[in-house]
């Protein structure tokens, strides 16, 4: 009796259920539509399509496909651009503090210009004249 319970624990009862589980996908696939592949233009059969694909692979340039040389050239170009981008990113990070400092200086100078314009306008009003300002945006 202990052998029967140990057989039940080892999974002898589970084998039929695993068979039914493996049978379930078979019934599901039979309900699905079969796989269809469109044949290339000018091919009337699968063998014609295979021959056409072989021709395309043997002479890729004639069929608008990339050749090994094209791929090598593009790979080298991409690698070169990646290196350039990394260098530019590093240069930007190094120059960022200087750029920030220049922005701060420009903002300070713009504030000083506005203050000077305001003082000159006030003085001109005291003297009874008018002022006109030309800025870089106006020209």
């Amino acid at each position: 009796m202990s052998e029967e319970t140990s057989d039940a624990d080892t999974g002898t009862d589970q084998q039929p259920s695993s068979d039914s589980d493996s049978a379930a996908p078979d019934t599901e696939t039979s309900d699905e539509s079969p796989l269809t592949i469109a044949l290339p233009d000018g091919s009337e059969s699968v063998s014609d399509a295979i021959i056409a694909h072989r021709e395309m692979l043997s002479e890729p340039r004639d069929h608008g496909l990339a050749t090994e040389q094209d791929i090598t050239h593009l790979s080298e170009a991409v690698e070169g651009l990646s290196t350039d981008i990394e260098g530019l990113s590093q240069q930007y990070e190094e120059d960022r503090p200087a750029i920030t400092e220049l922005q701060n200086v420009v903002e300070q100078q713009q504030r000083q210009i506005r203050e000077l314009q305001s003082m000159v306008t006030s003085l001109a009003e005291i003297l009874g004249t008018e002022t006109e300002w030309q800025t870089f945006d106006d020209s």
Side-chain angles (χ1 to χ4, degrees):
M1 188 168 208
S2 64
E3 290 178 15
E4 291 176 10
T5 57
S6 67
D7 287 342
D9 291 340
T10 58
T12 53
D13 291 337
Q14 294 175 357
Q15 287 177 353
S17 64
S18 65
D19 291 340
S20 64
D21 290 343
S22 64
D26 292 338
T27 58
E28 289 176 14
T29 55
S30 64
D31 293 339
E32 295 176 6
S33 62
L35 177 65
T36 57
I37 299 174
L39 296 175
D41 293 339
S43 299
E44 296 180 12
S45 68
V46 174
S47 60
D48 288 344
I50 291 171
I51 291 170
H53 283 118
R54 282 186 181 165
E55 289 174 3
M56 290 170 64
L57 293 174
S58 65
E59 296 296 330
R61 188 173 299 269
D62 295 343
H63 299 280
L65 300 175
T67 64
E68 186 175 345
Q69 290 174 332
D70 295 335
I71 293 169
T72 302
H73 175 72
L74 289 173
S75 297
E76 290 171 355
V78 167
E79 186 177 319
L81 289 173
S82 296
T83 304
D84 291 347
I85 288 172
E86 288 174 10
L88 289 173
S89 296
Q90 182 179 4
Q91 184 67 38
Y92 174 74
E93 290 300 321
E94 291 173 2
D95 292 343
R96 183 182 282 190
I99 292 170
T100 303
E101 183 181 338
L102 284 173
Q103 287 174 333
N104 292 335
V105 167
V106 167
E107 289 172 4
Q108 180 184 7
Q109 289 177 347
Q110 287 175 338
R111 282 192 302 272
Q112 290 174 344
I113 289 170
R114 286 192 295 273
E115 289 174 11
L116 286 171
Q117 284 178 339
S118 176
M119 284 199 272
V120 168
T121 302
S122 295
L123 288 173
E125 288 175 2
I126 291 171
L127 297 174
T129 62
E130 293 183 10
T131 57
E132 291 182 25
W133 302 104
Q134 181 178 2
T135 61
F136 293 111
D137 296 338
D138 294 342
S139 22

